[in-house]
Amino acid sequence: MLLTAPGGPQDAAPGTPGSVRPGGRTARTREAVRAATLAELADKGFAGLTVEGVAARSGVHKTTLYRRWGTPAALAADALDVASAEPWPVPDTGSLRADLRAVARQVVAGFTDPGSGPVARSLTAAALHDPDAGRALHAYLAARHAQAAVIVNRAADRGDVPAGTDGTDVVRCAVAPLYYRLFVTGEAVDEALADRYADAAATAAAAGVFAPEAD
Amino acid sequence: MLLTAPGGPQDAAPGTPGSVRPGGRTARTREAVRAATLAELADKGFAGLTVEGVAARSGVHKTTLYRRWGTPAALAADALDVASAEPWPVPDTGSLRADLRAVARQVVAGFTDPGSGPVARSLTAAALHDPDAGRALHAYLAARHAQAAVIVNRAADRGDVPAGTDGTDVVRCAVAPLYYRLFVTGEAVDEALADRYADAAATAAAAGVFAPEAD
């Protein structure tokens, strides 16, 4: 849920009309910088992310990086901005519980996968203490929450949860304990916990806890 | 729930037997340093916390601070260590839902109170990106979770939740969405949200989501 692999086709989009070649070059530069940023984060964490390191890995001159991004935090924020726009297949199993389990398991997988995990953890950690990266993470998660709320809206259409249930907040509750363990209490997560927290959110939603009359 | 006011009587304990005066002086120094650390965090945040600043505010010589604490993170970690040992009145209303609401409201109050909020936010933010402060926060929260789990154990004794319910995890679920909003998504919290998340955890616990047979 947090990040797809760097270098996906979504970054091959051309530039603005009338500047196709420069736009294409800009898009290619941005993607090269993004891929290098993610690779540097995977290797060295946010504390080890430097403009020079991204320049060396991407082949983009560091004066270009300083002019367009300026700081390591801006590089991390841009990687998150790109991720916000990436398509994400929202689960649709016909069951709120199973859909939320799929979302929560994606969070566990995103942070524990040997490939994507270190990058996702580094980007999130960066966002937790840098305001620019933080704003990018907030926008990214707001986009993901809004997409995932469709799961709850479909459950309301089926009559599985009360009309007016706050879908975004149901999604927050399904994933929040995973983030709490990973980033606040420093505890491990696994699929069994993902299922438990998804079940807790689904059970509470079915009982009307997230519907207006419950407040 | 996160922090009580600095300078409580718990720090007036004498030193080890046989060294009463040096122990008392050490305890007084530690408390002066802790109070100065919390005050500096309130004024300047973790990014602005320096050994020199704590020395100036506490009146303790900076060579003493460097020798005993060394870094701003160690100063923050020590403030959290002291907080871990502080007594905390666990709510006991006779209702799981009301007890969890009280705990969740304490979290909201701790982070939003004009006096304690900036310190609590700064200490938590410090722990999110510094390993030493992180370990201190993990120990602090583990102690608080274990204390609060009594709430769920009492509910099990009353038959309100199944026997074997994971009380610590119920508490995590009641407070995690608040931390998620405050530190990950950058969203506001209030008492209505505290009540909602407490109700969600209590409803799921009553339904057996946190009992062994549910996994």
Side-chain angles (χ1 to χ4, degrees), chain A residues 97 101 124-125 127-129 134 137-138 141 145 166 168-169 171-173 175-181 183-187 192-193 195-197 199-201 203-204 207 209-212 214-215, chain B residues 97 101 124-125 127-129 134 137-138 141 145 166 168-169 171-173 175-181 183-187 192-193 195-197 199-201 203-204 207 209-212 214-215:
Chain A
R97 181 169 299 225
R101 282 186 171 203
T124 306
L128 295 179
H129 82 271
L137 181 67
H138 302 165
L141 289 171
H145 289 165
D166 182 344
T168 306
D169 222 27
V171 173
R172 279 191 201 90
C173 278
V175 302
L178 300 170
Y179 281 86
Y180 184 65
R181 281 176 169 268
F183 295 100
V184 182
T185 67
E187 296 171 295
L193 286 170
D195 290 351
R196 172 188 276 185
Y197 300 141
D199 291 358
T203 299
V209 171
F210 297 91
D215 286 335
Chain B
R97 180 168 301 223
R101 282 186 171 202
T124 306
L128 295 178
H129 82 273
L137 182 67
H138 301 165
L141 289 172
H145 289 163
D166 183 342
T168 308
D169 223 25
V171 173
R172 280 190 200 90
C173 278
V175 302
L178 300 169
Y179 281 85
Y180 185 65
R181 283 177 169 268
F183 294 99
V184 181
T185 67
E187 297 171 294
L193 286 170
D195 289 351
R196 172 188 274 186
Y197 300 141
D199 290 358
T203 300
V209 171
F210 297 92
D215 286 335

Side-chain angles (χ1 to χ4, degrees), chain B residues 20-128:
Chain B
V20 172
R21 286 177 58 92
R25 196 156 57 227
T26 298
R28 284 194 301 275
T29 298
R30 189 183 185 195
E31 176 47 31
V33 170
R34 181 192 175 223
T37 299
L38 296 177
E40 288 284 294
L41 282 169
D43 282 358
K44 303 171 186 171
F46 181 68
L49 183 68
T50 63
V51 172
E52 285 77 6
V54 172
R57 193 184 281 257
S58 66
V60 175
H61 200 279
K62 69 179 179 180
T63 55
T64 302
L65 293 180
Y66 277 114
R67 190 177 69 241
R68 290 189 46 199
W69 285 275
T71 65
L75 288 165
D78 198 49
L80 275 166
D81 280 344
V82 172
S84 295
E86 286 173 357
W88 172 53
V90 178
D92 187 8
T93 65
S95 147
L96 175 61
R97 180 168 301 223
D99 283 354
L100 289 175
R101 282 186 171 202
V103 170
R105 285 181 176 216
Q106 284 180 30
V107 172
V108 169
F111 284 118
T112 59
D113 176 80
S116 70
V119 179
R121 286 174 184 251
S122 291
L123 271 179
T124 306
L128 295 178

Side-chain angles (χ1 to χ4, degrees), chain A residues 64-166:
Chain A
T64 302
L65 293 181
Y66 277 115
R67 190 177 69 245
R68 291 189 46 198
W69 285 275
T71 64
L75 288 164
D78 198 50
L80 275 167
D81 279 344
V82 172
S84 295
E86 287 173 357
W88 172 55
V90 178
D92 187 7
T93 64
S95 147
L96 175 61
R97 181 169 299 225
D99 284 354
L100 289 175
R101 282 186 171 203
V103 170
R105 284 181 177 217
Q106 284 179 32
V107 172
V108 169
F111 285 118
T112 61
D113 176 79
S116 70
V119 179
R121 285 173 184 254
S122 291
L123 272 179
T124 306
L128 295 179
H129 82 271
D130 180 89
D132 286 338
R135 279 185 285 274
L137 181 67
H138 302 165
Y140 170 77
L141 289 171
R144 288 293 189 251
H145 289 165
Q147 288 171 297
V150 172
I151 288 170
V152 183
N153 298 340
R154 285 194 305 246
D157 291 342
R158 290 192 302 265
D160 295 341
V161 300
T165 293
D166 182 344

